[in-house]
Amino acid sequence: MARPCPPNGLARAAWFRETAAEVEETDPKQAIYCRGIADQIERREMGALPLVRLMHDQSPNQS
């Protein structure tokens, strides 16, 4: 049985990335979904850190 998904944080993002790697060959759409969720979680978690948020706000290549 697969290990359960962690409740929150970067551990949850890592779980989604691991799941994406596991299903890449058998279910590419599920892998894309899992990677997208992991990206969202990482952006949210990293954006909550003041220094990372400040660095992102000062980035010259914002669109």
Side-chain angles (χ1 to χ4, degrees):
M1 185 170 146
R3 73 181 171 97
C5 181
N8 53 32
L10 294 175
R12 186 176 180 98
W15 182 88
F16 273 104
R17 291 211 183 275
E18 290 171 14
T19 302
E22 291 171 4
V23 301
E24 185 70 43
E25 295 293 320
T26 58
D27 193 351
K29 288 182 181 180
Q30 182 68 23
I32 292 168
Y33 171 80
C34 288
R35 282 192 297 275
I37 295 297
D39 289 343
Q40 290 175 12
I41 293 169
E42 288 170 352
R43 278 194 302 271
R44 182 180 66 237
E45 291 293 321
M46 298 304 278
L49 300 173
L51 182 58
V52 174
R53 186 171 53 239
L54 177 64
M55 290 170 59
H56 182 267
D57 290 345
Q58 301 300 319
S59 176
N61 58 359
Q62 287 182 344
S63 45

